[in-house]
Amino acid sequence: RKEDGERSRCIYCREMFNHEDNWRGQCQDAPDPIKRCIYQVSCMLCAESMLYHCMSDSEGDFSDPCSCDTSDDKFCLRWLALIALSFIAPCMCCYLPLRACHQCGEACRCCGGKHKAAG
């Protein structure tokens, strides 16, 4: 066990952190099994695959499937494609409510990734 007040460097985000202040949701780069489960249960891989194959730029980049950034020139087309895809994979409709629940869990410090010290 690390001493109270001791700081270490996180192996995921490379930031220094205090062990006594290391709660769930502190490290955005750390693995989060609940977030991964939400991603798989809601079939977001289907949405990302569609966006990659149909709406990516020449370098293969595409925007977040559920982004509400209206400055994106493919905003309406992306959302229409997601709505159409949700008829084939209705489990996609669960993504936003599940993510909202997960974000509430992060705010309550019961979900999310934690910093992990090297060694």
Side-chain angles (χ1 to χ4, degrees):
R1 174 162 153 63
K2 298 285 185 182
E3 296 294 322
D4 288 341
E6 185 176 343
R7 294 176 57 84
S8 297
R9 186 168 301 279
C10 177
I11 63 172
Y12 302 116
C13 66
R14 308 298 301 155
E15 291 182 17
M16 296 298 287
F17 70 97
N18 188 336
H19 290 272
E20 60 189 20
D21 295 330
N22 187 22
W23 301 291
R24 292 201 166 278
Q26 293 285 313
C27 182
Q28 296 300 314
D29 296 332
D32 183 355
I34 295 174
K35 192 173 185 179
R36 182 74 185 148
C37 180
I38 291 170
Y39 179 83
Q40 290 177 336
V41 165
S42 62
C43 299
M44 286 309 290
L45 183 61
C46 293
E48 287 188 353
S49 297
M50 178 203 55
L51 291 177
Y52 173 75
H53 289 291
C54 301
M55 297 180 197
S56 63
D57 61 15
S58 60
E59 296 176 1
D61 295 330
F62 57 91
S63 60
D64 177 39
C66 295
S67 171
C68 293
D69 180 16
T70 56
S71 65
D72 182 14
D73 47 330
K74 295 183 180 179
F75 174 78
C76 290
L77 182 60
R78 181 180 72 242
W79 276 99
L80 285 173
L82 288 172
I83 291 168
L85 188 59
S86 71
F87 286 108
I88 298 167
C91 55
M92 287 178 51
C93 296
C94 297
Y95 180 75
L96 291 176
L98 289 173
R99 276 293 288 140
C101 289
H102 184 263
Q103 288 174 339
C104 288
E106 285 179 329
C108 295
R109 299 180 180 162
C110 62
C111 292
K114 290 175 69 172
H115 292 294
K116 181 178 178 183

